[in-house]
PDB file of all heavy atoms in Angstrom:
ATOM      1  N   GLU R 777      24.410 -11.747   7.733  1.00 63.00           N
ATOM      2  CA  GLU R 777      24.532 -12.302   6.341  1.00 63.00           C
ATOM      3  C   GLU R 777      24.128 -13.702   6.170  1.00 63.00           C
ATOM      4  O   GLU R 777      23.923 -14.075   5.081  1.00 63.00           O
ATOM      5  CB  GLU R 777      26.093 -12.279   5.975  1.00 63.00           C
ATOM      6  CG  GLU R 777      26.664 -10.838   5.775  1.00 63.00           C
ATOM      7  CD  GLU R 777      28.227 -10.946   5.668  1.00 63.00           C
ATOM      8  OE1 GLU R 777      28.685 -11.917   5.661  1.00 63.00           O
ATOM      9  OE2 GLU R 777      28.770  -9.809   5.588  1.00 63.00           O
ATOM     10  N   GLU R 778      23.945 -14.339   7.322  1.00 56.00           N
ATOM     11  CA  GLU R 778      23.613 -15.759   7.095  1.00 56.00           C
ATOM     12  C   GLU R 778      22.087 -16.001   7.184  1.00 56.00           C
ATOM     13  O   GLU R 778      21.704 -17.157   7.618  1.00 56.00           O
ATOM     14  CB  GLU R 778      24.261 -16.604   8.292  1.00 56.00           C
ATOM     15  CG  GLU R 778      25.832 -16.576   8.105  1.00 56.00           C
ATOM     16  CD  GLU R 778      26.473 -17.100   9.336  1.00 56.00           C
ATOM     17  OE1 GLU R 778      25.803 -17.871   9.971  1.00 56.00           O
ATOM     18  OE2 GLU R 778      27.684 -16.801   9.594  1.00 56.00           O
ATOM     19  N   ALA R 779      21.372 -14.936   6.951  1.00 57.00           N
ATOM     20  CA  ALA R 779      19.912 -15.002   7.001  1.00 57.00           C
ATOM     21  C   ALA R 779      19.443 -16.098   6.014  1.00 57.00           C
ATOM     22  O   ALA R 779      19.950 -16.245   4.847  1.00 57.00           O
ATOM     23  CB  ALA R 779      19.218 -13.761   6.731  1.00 57.00           C
ATOM     24  N   VAL R 780      18.374 -16.933   6.351  1.00 56.00           N
ATOM     25  CA  VAL R 780      17.867 -17.861   5.454  1.00 56.00           C
ATOM     26  C   VAL R 780      16.501 -17.444   4.956  1.00 56.00           C
ATOM     27  O   VAL R 780      15.771 -18.372   4.471  1.00 56.00           O
ATOM     28  CB  VAL R 780      17.804 -19.248   6.275  1.00 56.00           C
ATOM     29  CG1 VAL R 780      19.272 -19.655   6.403  1.00 56.00           C
ATOM     30  CG2 VAL R 780      16.992 -19.178   7.360  1.00 56.00           C
ATOM     31  N   PHE R 781      16.031 -16.207   5.276  1.00 57.00           N
ATOM     32  CA  PHE R 781      14.590 -15.894   4.941  1.00 57.00           C
ATOM     33  C   PHE R 781      14.421 -15.373   3.604  1.00 57.00           C
ATOM     34  O   PHE R 781      13.392 -14.904   3.312  1.00 57.00           O
ATOM     35  CB  PHE R 781      14.092 -14.895   6.005  1.00 57.00           C
ATOM     36  CG  PHE R 781      14.101 -15.493   7.416  1.00 57.00           C
ATOM     37  CD1 PHE R 781      15.114 -15.123   8.278  1.00 57.00           C
ATOM     38  CD2 PHE R 781      13.303 -16.361   7.861  1.00 57.00           C
ATOM     39  CE1 PHE R 781      15.131 -15.590   9.598  1.00 57.00           C
ATOM     40  CE2 PHE R 781      13.235 -17.040   9.051  1.00 57.00           C
ATOM     41  CZ  PHE R 781      14.211 -16.518   9.942  1.00 57.00           C
ATOM     42  N   LEU R 782      15.600 -15.202   2.815  1.00 62.00           N
ATOM     43  CA  LEU R 782      15.491 -14.437   1.554  1.00 62.00           C
ATOM     44  C   LEU R 782      14.459 -15.217   0.590  1.00 62.00           C
ATOM     45  O   LEU R 782      13.758 -14.494  -0.234  1.00 62.00           O
ATOM     46  CB  LEU R 782      16.769 -14.259   0.969  1.00 62.00           C
ATOM     47  CG  LEU R 782      17.635 -13.212   1.649  1.00 62.00           C
ATOM     48  CD1 LEU R 782      19.057 -13.118   1.053  1.00 62.00           C
ATOM     49  CD2 LEU R 782      16.953 -11.821   1.407  1.00 62.00           C
ATOM     50  N   LYS R 783      14.426 -16.436   0.687  1.00 64.00           N
ATOM     51  CA  LYS R 783      13.588 -17.190  -0.302  1.00 64.00           C
ATOM     52  C   LYS R 783      12.056 -16.807  -0.110  1.00 64.00           C
ATOM     53  O   LYS R 783      11.330 -16.592  -0.969  1.00 64.00           O
ATOM     54  CB  LYS R 783      13.648 -18.714  -0.090  1.00 64.00           C
ATOM     55  CG  LYS R 783      15.134 -19.214  -0.538  1.00 64.00           C
ATOM     56  CD  LYS R 783      15.142 -20.612  -0.313  1.00 64.00           C
ATOM     57  CE  LYS R 783      16.640 -21.123  -0.238  1.00 64.00           C
ATOM     58  NZ  LYS R 783      16.853 -22.316   0.235  1.00 64.00           N
ATOM     59  N   ARG R 784      11.738 -16.726   1.134  1.00 73.00           N
ATOM     60  CA  ARG R 784      10.382 -16.483   1.480  1.00 73.00           C
ATOM     61  C   ARG R 784       9.952 -14.871   1.342  1.00 73.00           C
ATOM     62  O   ARG R 784       8.885 -14.463   1.319  1.00 73.00           O
ATOM     63  CB  ARG R 784       9.973 -16.870   2.848  1.00 73.00           C
ATOM     64  CG  ARG R 784       9.569 -18.297   2.890  1.00 73.00           C
ATOM     65  CD  ARG R 784       9.003 -18.751   4.229  1.00 73.00           C
ATOM     66  NE  ARG R 784       7.662 -17.933   4.327  1.00 73.00           N
ATOM     67  CZ  ARG R 784       7.259 -17.667   5.638  1.00 73.00           C
ATOM     68  NH1 ARG R 784       7.719 -18.248   6.730  1.00 73.00           N
ATOM     69  NH2 ARG R 784       6.243 -16.973   5.796  1.00 73.00           N
ATOM     70  N   CYS R 785      11.113 -14.088   1.383  1.00 78.00           N
ATOM     71  CA  CYS R 785      11.027 -12.702   1.477  1.00 78.00           C
ATOM     72  C   CYS R 785      10.140 -12.160   0.368  1.00 78.00           C
ATOM     73  O   CYS R 785       9.350 -11.395   0.603  1.00 78.00           O
ATOM     74  CB  CYS R 785      12.269 -12.032   1.612  1.00 78.00           C
ATOM     75  SG  CYS R 785      12.260 -10.375   1.821  1.00 78.00           S
ATOM     76  N   ASP R 786      10.487 -12.501  -0.730  1.00 80.00           N
ATOM     77  CA  ASP R 786       9.825 -11.805  -1.991  1.00 80.00           C
ATOM     78  C   ASP R 786       8.353 -12.136  -1.942  1.00 80.00           C
ATOM     79  O   ASP R 786       7.520 -11.176  -2.112  1.00 80.00           O
ATOM     80  CB  ASP R 786      10.395 -12.554  -3.281  1.00 80.00           C
ATOM     81  CG  ASP R 786      11.709 -11.771  -3.523  1.00 80.00           C
ATOM     82  OD1 ASP R 786      11.868 -10.569  -3.284  1.00 80.00           O
ATOM     83  OD2 ASP R 786      12.541 -12.496  -4.266  1.00 80.00           O
ATOM     84  N   GLN R 787       7.938 -13.271  -1.632  1.00 80.00           N
ATOM     85  CA  GLN R 787       6.479 -13.647  -1.610  1.00 80.00           C
ATOM     86  C   GLN R 787       5.783 -12.910  -0.442  1.00 80.00           C
ATOM     87  O   GLN R 787       4.718 -12.350  -0.630  1.00 80.00           O
ATOM     88  CB  GLN R 787       6.358 -15.250  -1.352  1.00 80.00           C
ATOM     89  CG  GLN R 787       4.820 -15.676  -1.488  1.00 80.00           C
ATOM     90  CD  GLN R 787       4.702 -17.024  -1.109  1.00 80.00           C
ATOM     91  OE1 GLN R 787       5.709 -17.772  -0.800  1.00 80.00           O
ATOM     92  NE2 GLN R 787       3.545 -17.534  -1.030  1.00 80.00           N
ATOM     93  N   PHE R 788       6.490 -12.849   0.673  1.00 83.00           N
ATOM     94  CA  PHE R 788       6.028 -12.095   1.841  1.00 83.00           C
ATOM     95  C   PHE R 788       5.807 -10.627   1.491  1.00 83.00           C
ATOM     96  O   PHE R 788       4.686 -10.135   1.736  1.00 83.00           O
ATOM     97  CB  PHE R 788       6.826 -12.304   2.964  1.00 83.00           C
ATOM     98  CG  PHE R 788       6.405 -11.557   4.216  1.00 83.00           C
ATOM     99  CD1 PHE R 788       5.350 -11.913   4.955  1.00 83.00           C
ATOM    100  CD2 PHE R 788       7.236 -10.417   4.757  1.00 83.00           C
ATOM    101  CE1 PHE R 788       4.837 -11.080   5.991  1.00 83.00           C
ATOM    102  CE2 PHE R 788       6.814  -9.796   5.823  1.00 83.00           C
ATOM    103  CZ  PHE R 788       5.632 -10.105   6.511  1.00 83.00           C
ATOM    104  N   MET R 789       6.797 -10.068   0.842  1.00 85.00           N
ATOM    105  CA  MET R 789       6.745  -8.668   0.441  1.00 85.00           C
ATOM    106  C   MET R 789       5.492  -8.368  -0.468  1.00 85.00           C
ATOM    107  O   MET R 789       4.759  -7.349  -0.402  1.00 85.00           O
ATOM    108  CB  MET R 789       7.875  -8.079  -0.190  1.00 85.00           C
ATOM    109  CG  MET R 789       9.129  -8.100   0.682  1.00 85.00           C
ATOM    110  SD  MET R 789       8.909  -7.325   2.225  1.00 85.00           S
ATOM    111  CE  MET R 789       9.659  -8.331   3.420  1.00 85.00           C
ATOM    112  N   GLN R 790       5.365  -9.397  -1.351  1.00 84.00           N
ATOM    113  CA  GLN R 790       4.255  -9.196  -2.381  1.00 84.00           C
ATOM    114  C   GLN R 790       2.959  -9.287  -1.753  1.00 84.00           C
ATOM    115  O   GLN R 790       1.992  -8.484  -2.204  1.00 84.00           O
ATOM    116  CB  GLN R 790       4.398 -10.191  -3.503  1.00 84.00           C
ATOM    117  CG  GLN R 790       3.944  -9.941  -4.744  1.00 84.00           C
ATOM    118  CD  GLN R 790       4.434  -8.589  -5.430  1.00 84.00           C
ATOM    119  OE1 GLN R 790       5.640  -8.318  -5.276  1.00 84.00           O
ATOM    120  NE2 GLN R 790       3.548  -7.857  -6.038  1.00 84.00           N
ATOM    121  N   GLU R 791       2.740 -10.155  -0.823  1.00 84.00           N
ATOM    122  CA  GLU R 791       1.449 -10.325  -0.225  1.00 84.00           C
ATOM    123  C   GLU R 791       1.157  -9.145   0.810  1.00 84.00           C
ATOM    124  O   GLU R 791      -0.057  -8.935   1.049  1.00 84.00           O
ATOM    125  CB  GLU R 791       1.472 -11.652   0.543  1.00 84.00           C
ATOM    126  CG  GLU R 791       1.400 -12.894  -0.491  1.00 84.00           C
ATOM    127  CD  GLU R 791       1.426 -14.169   0.305  1.00 84.00           C
ATOM    128  OE1 GLU R 791       1.765 -14.195   1.389  1.00 84.00           O
ATOM    129  OE2 GLU R 791       1.166 -15.210  -0.323  1.00 84.00           O
ATOM    130  N   ALA R 792       2.249  -8.814   1.475  1.00 86.00           N
ATOM    131  CA  ALA R 792       2.014  -7.918   2.652  1.00 86.00           C
ATOM    132  C   ALA R 792       1.544  -6.581   2.394  1.00 86.00           C
ATOM    133  O   ALA R 792       0.843  -5.829   3.126  1.00 86.00           O
ATOM    134  CB  ALA R 792       3.215  -7.993   3.602  1.00 86.00           C
ATOM    135  N   PHE R 793       2.158  -6.041   1.292  1.00 88.00           N
ATOM    136  CA  PHE R 793       1.859  -4.649   0.901  1.00 88.00           C
ATOM    137  C   PHE R 793       0.912  -4.524  -0.209  1.00 88.00           C
ATOM    138  O   PHE R 793       0.932  -5.491  -1.035  1.00 88.00           O
ATOM    139  CB  PHE R 793       3.240  -3.900   0.591  1.00 88.00           C
ATOM    140  CG  PHE R 793       4.119  -3.665   1.622  1.00 88.00           C
ATOM    141  CD1 PHE R 793       5.164  -4.522   1.860  1.00 88.00           C
ATOM    142  CD2 PHE R 793       3.935  -2.647   2.511  1.00 88.00           C
ATOM    143  CE1 PHE R 793       6.040  -4.314   2.992  1.00 88.00           C
ATOM    144  CE2 PHE R 793       4.768  -2.367   3.539  1.00 88.00           C
ATOM    145  CZ  PHE R 793       5.704  -3.274   3.695  1.00 88.00           C
ATOM    146  N   GLU R 794       0.096  -3.431  -0.161  1.00 85.00           N
ATOM    147  CA  GLU R 794      -0.728  -3.165  -1.337  1.00 85.00           C
ATOM    148  C   GLU R 794       0.030  -2.350  -2.320  1.00 85.00           C
ATOM    149  O   GLU R 794       0.040  -1.080  -2.303  1.00 85.00           O
ATOM    150  CB  GLU R 794      -1.955  -2.464  -0.876  1.00 85.00           C
ATOM    151  CG  GLU R 794      -2.830  -3.454   0.018  1.00 85.00           C
ATOM    152  CD  GLU R 794      -4.186  -2.918   0.410  1.00 85.00           C
ATOM    153  OE1 GLU R 794      -4.176  -1.682   0.414  1.00 85.00           O
ATOM    154  OE2 GLU R 794      -5.107  -3.613   0.618  1.00 85.00           O
ATOM    155  N   TRP R 795       0.771  -2.949  -3.240  1.00 85.00           N
ATOM    156  CA  TRP R 795       1.642  -2.242  -4.170  1.00 85.00           C
ATOM    157  C   TRP R 795       0.953  -1.297  -5.115  1.00 85.00           C
ATOM    158  O   TRP R 795       1.323  -0.297  -5.548  1.00 85.00           O
ATOM    159  CB  TRP R 795       2.571  -3.094  -4.923  1.00 85.00           C
ATOM    160  CG  TRP R 795       3.456  -3.850  -4.017  1.00 85.00           C
ATOM    161  CD1 TRP R 795       3.217  -5.189  -3.476  1.00 85.00           C
ATOM    162  CD2 TRP R 795       4.672  -3.435  -3.525  1.00 85.00           C
ATOM    163  NE1 TRP R 795       4.278  -5.479  -2.636  1.00 85.00           N
ATOM    164  CE2 TRP R 795       5.193  -4.435  -2.649  1.00 85.00           C
ATOM    165  CE3 TRP R 795       5.433  -2.345  -3.545  1.00 85.00           C
ATOM    166  CZ2 TRP R 795       6.401  -4.297  -1.888  1.00 85.00           C
ATOM    167  CZ3 TRP R 795       6.606  -2.145  -2.901  1.00 85.00           C
ATOM    168  CH2 TRP R 795       7.059  -3.181  -2.094  1.00 85.00           C
ATOM    169  N   ASN R 796      -0.338  -1.704  -5.387  1.00 79.00           N
ATOM    170  CA  ASN R 796      -1.155  -0.988  -6.315  1.00 79.00           C
ATOM    171  C   ASN R 796      -1.571   0.330  -5.825  1.00 79.00           C
ATOM    172  O   ASN R 796      -1.913   1.325  -6.534  1.00 79.00           O
ATOM    173  CB  ASN R 796      -2.384  -1.729  -6.729  1.00 79.00           C
ATOM    174  CG  ASN R 796      -2.098  -2.930  -7.581  1.00 79.00           C
ATOM    175  OD1 ASN R 796      -1.094  -2.884  -8.376  1.00 79.00           O
ATOM    176  ND2 ASN R 796      -2.853  -3.782  -7.674  1.00 79.00           N
ATOM    177  N   GLU R 797      -1.620   0.493  -4.432  1.00 79.00           N
ATOM    178  CA  GLU R 797      -2.056   1.787  -3.841  1.00 79.00           C
ATOM    179  C   GLU R 797      -0.874   2.628  -3.405  1.00 79.00           C
ATOM    180  O   GLU R 797      -1.001   3.484  -2.661  1.00 79.00           O
ATOM    181  CB  GLU R 797      -2.861   1.407  -2.540  1.00 79.00           C
ATOM    182  CG  GLU R 797      -3.973   0.292  -2.747  1.00 79.00           C
ATOM    183  CD  GLU R 797      -4.997   0.765  -3.864  1.00 79.00           C
ATOM    184  OE1 GLU R 797      -5.101   1.926  -4.224  1.00 79.00           O
ATOM    185  OE2 GLU R 797      -5.574  -0.134  -4.288  1.00 79.00           O
ATOM    186  N   MET R 798       0.285   2.292  -3.923  1.00 83.00           N
ATOM    187  CA  MET R 798       1.560   3.055  -3.529  1.00 83.00           C
ATOM    188  C   MET R 798       1.422   4.511  -4.190  1.00 83.00           C
ATOM    189  O   MET R 798       1.023   4.627  -5.175  1.00 83.00           O
ATOM    190  CB  MET R 798       2.747   2.388  -4.277  1.00 83.00           C
ATOM    191  CG  MET R 798       4.005   2.889  -3.847  1.00 83.00           C
ATOM    192  SD  MET R 798       5.400   1.969  -4.445  1.00 83.00           S
ATOM    193  CE  MET R 798       5.421   2.350  -6.241  1.00 83.00           C
ATOM    194  N   THR R 799       1.713   5.394  -3.281  1.00 81.00           N
ATOM    195  CA  THR R 799       1.912   6.860  -3.683  1.00 81.00           C
ATOM    196  C   THR R 799       3.260   7.334  -3.365  1.00 81.00           C
ATOM    197  O   THR R 799       3.904   6.772  -2.505  1.00 81.00           O
ATOM    198  CB  THR R 799       0.909   7.733  -3.033  1.00 81.00           C
ATOM    199  OG1 THR R 799       0.952   7.642  -1.611  1.00 81.00           O
ATOM    200  CG2 THR R 799      -0.583   7.503  -3.336  1.00 81.00           C
ATOM    201  N   TYR R 800       3.694   8.404  -4.122  1.00 83.00           N
ATOM    202  CA  TYR R 800       5.051   8.732  -4.015  1.00 83.00           C
ATOM    203  C   TYR R 800       5.139  10.176  -4.349  1.00 83.00           C
ATOM    204  O   TYR R 800       4.400  10.846  -5.019  1.00 83.00           O
ATOM    205  CB  TYR R 800       6.059   7.955  -4.879  1.00 83.00           C
ATOM    206  CG  TYR R 800       5.514   7.879  -6.334  1.00 83.00           C
ATOM    207  CD1 TYR R 800       5.785   8.835  -7.311  1.00 83.00           C
ATOM    208  CD2 TYR R 800       4.799   6.783  -6.750  1.00 83.00           C
ATOM    209  CE1 TYR R 800       5.256   8.662  -8.572  1.00 83.00           C
ATOM    210  CE2 TYR R 800       4.349   6.600  -7.997  1.00 83.00           C
ATOM    211  CZ  TYR R 800       4.508   7.597  -8.962  1.00 83.00           C
ATOM    212  OH  TYR R 800       4.207   7.450 -10.172  1.00 83.00           O
ATOM    213  N   VAL R 801       6.295  10.875  -3.734  1.00 83.00           N
ATOM    214  CA  VAL R 801       6.500  12.232  -3.849  1.00 83.00           C
ATOM    215  C   VAL R 801       8.003  12.318  -4.160  1.00 83.00           C
ATOM    216  O   VAL R 801       8.815  11.786  -3.331  1.00 83.00           O
ATOM    217  CB  VAL R 801       6.118  13.026  -2.681  1.00 83.00           C
ATOM    218  CG1 VAL R 801       6.696  14.487  -2.794  1.00 83.00           C
ATOM    219  CG2 VAL R 801       4.622  12.983  -2.438  1.00 83.00           C
ATOM    220  N   PHE R 802       8.407  13.141  -5.135  1.00 82.00           N
ATOM    221  CA  PHE R 802       9.791  13.374  -5.423  1.00 82.00           C
ATOM    222  C   PHE R 802      10.095  14.794  -4.782  1.00 82.00           C
ATOM    223  O   PHE R 802       9.370  15.613  -4.706  1.00 82.00           O
ATOM    224  CB  PHE R 802      10.209  13.377  -6.789  1.00 82.00           C
ATOM    225  CG  PHE R 802       9.877  12.018  -7.521  1.00 82.00           C
ATOM    226  CD1 PHE R 802       8.908  11.890  -8.536  1.00 82.00           C
ATOM    227  CD2 PHE R 802      10.446  10.937  -7.008  1.00 82.00           C
ATOM    228  CE1 PHE R 802       8.651  10.732  -9.043  1.00 82.00           C
ATOM    229  CE2 PHE R 802      10.139   9.679  -7.563  1.00 82.00           C
ATOM    230  CZ  PHE R 802       9.242   9.523  -8.630  1.00 82.00           C
ATOM    231  N   ASN R 803      11.348  14.999  -4.422  1.00 77.00           N
ATOM    232  CA  ASN R 803      11.568  16.164  -3.691  1.00 77.00           C
ATOM    233  C   ASN R 803      11.650  17.448  -4.534  1.00 77.00           C
ATOM    234  O   ASN R 803      11.468  18.548  -4.117  1.00 77.00           O
ATOM    235  CB  ASN R 803      13.031  16.073  -3.010  1.00 77.00           C
ATOM    236  CG  ASN R 803      14.085  16.080  -3.964  1.00 77.00           C
ATOM    237  OD1 ASN R 803      14.043  15.449  -4.982  1.00 77.00           O
ATOM    238  ND2 ASN R 803      15.256  16.630  -3.597  1.00 77.00           N
TER     239      ASN R 803
END
Side-chain angles (χ1 to χ4, degrees):
Chain R
E777 291 173 5
E778 298 170 21
V780 296
F781 299 104
L782 283 174
K783 289 176 199 169
R784 277 191 58 200
C785 185
D786 282 330
Q787 186 189 353
F788 175 67
M789 293 311 141
Q790 204 55 42
E791 286 174 352
F793 288 101
E794 290 184 335
W795 296 98
N796 289 338
E797 313 299 346
M798 182 170 79
T799 53
Y800 46 85
V801 172
F802 301 120
N803 68 321

